[in-house]
Amino acid sequence: MRTDPAKTGRQPGAVTAGDAERRGGRQSLWRRWRAWLPFVVKPLRRGIVILIVLLIVEYLVVPELVGASRDLYLLGRVDAFWLAAGVILEAGSLFCYGLLTQAMLPPGAHNPGLSRLFRIDLAAAAVAHVIPAGTLGSAAVGYNLFTAEGIKGRDAAVMMAAKGLGSTVVLNVLLWLSLVISVPLAGFHPIYVTVAITSAVLMFAVAALAFGFIRGVGRASRIVHFVGDRTPGLSGDRLEQALLDAAASLSAIARDRRTLVMSLTWATLNWLLDAASLWCFVAAFGRFVNPVELFAAYGIANVAGALPLTPAGLGVVDSLAPLLLVSFGVTRSVATLGVLGWRLVNFWLPIPAGAIAYVSLKVPRGEPPADEPP
């Protein structure tokens, strides 16, 4: 039943004191919820991450470890030559990443030397290996260490962003090539479709985000600010400017043939030597895998491990890589022990090595004696 405004004396659209009070109450309640929201969301987010990690450990890592414990007799027949080769190749992979850092420093930027750049990358990798979504934490540590070495903040941010984007593109290109080549060699695997779609979606998302904030789209800019404002040592404005400068830097590198060739070379060698290290650890247990097929398994595991669920793909890479190697004809025992040995030097060894590198960077350099010229 409708009320006649003429009888009530209330004009259409008028706000009564009761309406204003109820609206004020709702606004006050919303303010209280907004004040408490950060205290609820942060523990909830951490709880979800911990739950995901526990599920990965329970259903993926533990079965692999149990299976490996039954095959420990293979350790008595391991080939020490291939083990040593795997360690050397992994060290070479890390060294190439330091060369990539040096190659992607903007022209005219301060260069503290390859040794210190290598140690900064190692320290940042150690951080990425101990916290979920470690890329953000390692970016903050790397930025602080680079600027402490005399590299301007803008130059450090541009180099780090361009290096991360470029290295990711190189891995995806190598993965696609290995998948195309491995189909006639080992046949088609259903997981190829999933990986191809996932890789394409991720690359499209990155490209769309980059295009969006370069063109000034508000939503893309808000996403960048959201990530930057929640990263220690960074800010939304700084991250957005760094990505803009990184896009300009990548464009300049594409025009500079020498820098482009050097950057692509070191990025490619970084991934190929890491995969070669895995090949050596599998060979140490007597199984020589087709390199193309092994890189397909390696690339798929690393793309899956790049999702920010666990530190540096812990549990994801360790369980997915053996399963993929088994699909290529490697026995489960050899695949499991080979991957576990490779992850020992690929994932675990950089943590103490990065801590030592961090300490060495923080120790003041020796001052020249008073009677000698500086």
Side-chain angles (χ1 to χ4, degrees), residues 17-318:
D19 293 336
E21 184 177 352
R22 285 191 295 272
R23 185 177 301 175
R26 288 194 297 269
Q27 292 177 350
S28 176
L29 181 62
W30 172 242
R31 290 194 194 98
R32 289 197 295 269
W33 271 107
R34 288 188 62 182
W36 281 99
L37 197 60
F39 299 99
V40 176
V41 171
K42 194 171 182 178
L44 180 62
R45 183 173 57 189
R46 289 181 177 177
I48 293 174
V49 171
I50 293 173
L51 177 61
I52 293 173
V53 172
L54 291 176
L55 290 175
I56 291 174
V57 172
E58 173 70 19
Y59 292 102
L60 296 178
V61 178
V62 172
E64 294 296 328
L65 294 177
V66 172
S69 65
R70 293 196 298 264
D71 301 313
L72 290 179
Y73 70 93
L74 291 173
L75 294 176
R77 295 183 291 179
V78 69
D79 192 325
F81 171 80
W82 289 118
L83 289 181
V87 174
I88 293 172
L89 288 171
E90 189 62 39
S93 173
L94 294 173
F95 184 72
C96 287
Y97 198 71
L99 291 170
L100 174 63
T101 300
Q102 188 176 53
M104 299 202 75
L105 282 173
H110 173 68
N111 187 346
L114 181 59
S115 172
R116 301 190 75 82
L117 292 175
F118 174 77
R119 282 180 282 168
I120 292 174
D121 285 334
L122 199 57
V127 174
H129 288 193
V130 295
I131 59 175
T135 303
L136 298 178
S138 65
V141 171
Y143 178 85
N144 291 330
L145 291 175
F146 282 126
T147 53
E149 290 296 323
I151 301 176
K152 295 180 180 179
R154 178 181 178 277
D155 291 338
V158 168
M159 178 269 294
M160 293 172 63
K163 181 176 63 172
L165 292 174
S167 183
T168 301
V169 170
V170 168
L171 174 61
N172 281 270
V173 171
L174 291 174
L175 174 58
W176 276 67
L177 289 175
S178 67
L179 294 180
V180 171
I181 298 173
S182 66
V183 168
L185 295 177
F188 178 80
H189 291 263
I191 195 173
Y192 288 179
V193 177
T194 304
V195 172
I197 294 175
T198 302
S199 177
V201 169
L202 290 175
M203 296 297 290
F204 176 78
V206 172
L209 180 61
F211 179 82
F213 77 79
I214 288 174
R215 293 294 183 181
V217 177
R219 179 175 298 179
S221 179
R222 288 194 295 271
I223 293 174
V224 173
H225 277 257
F226 178 83
V227 175
D229 291 337
R230 284 157 180 77
T231 303
L234 294 177
S235 66
D237 291 333
R238 184 184 296 172
L239 179 60
E240 181 175 8
Q241 187 60 45
L243 291 175
L244 287 169
D245 293 337
S249 178
L250 288 174
S251 178
I253 289 174
R255 294 191 298 268
D256 186 345
R257 180 171 298 179
R258 181 180 180 279
T259 303
L260 177 63
V261 170
M262 295 299 294
S263 300
L264 290 177
T265 298
W266 299 131
T268 302
L269 285 176
N270 167 244
W271 293 115
L272 291 180
L273 289 177
D274 190 26
S277 175
L278 172 58
W279 187 93
C280 288
F281 276 96
V282 175
F285 293 95
R287 184 65 168 84
F288 299 96
V289 190
N290 183 296
V292 176
E293 296 175 357
L294 179 132
F295 192 90
Y298 165 87
I300 292 171
N302 274 276
V303 168
L307 298 176
L309 300 177
T310 61
L314 178 62
V316 178
V317 176
D318 309 70

Side-chain angles (χ1 to χ4, degrees), residues 344-356:
L344 180 64
V345 299
N346 166 273
F347 180 89
W348 295 106
L349 191 58
I351 296 176
I356 295 172

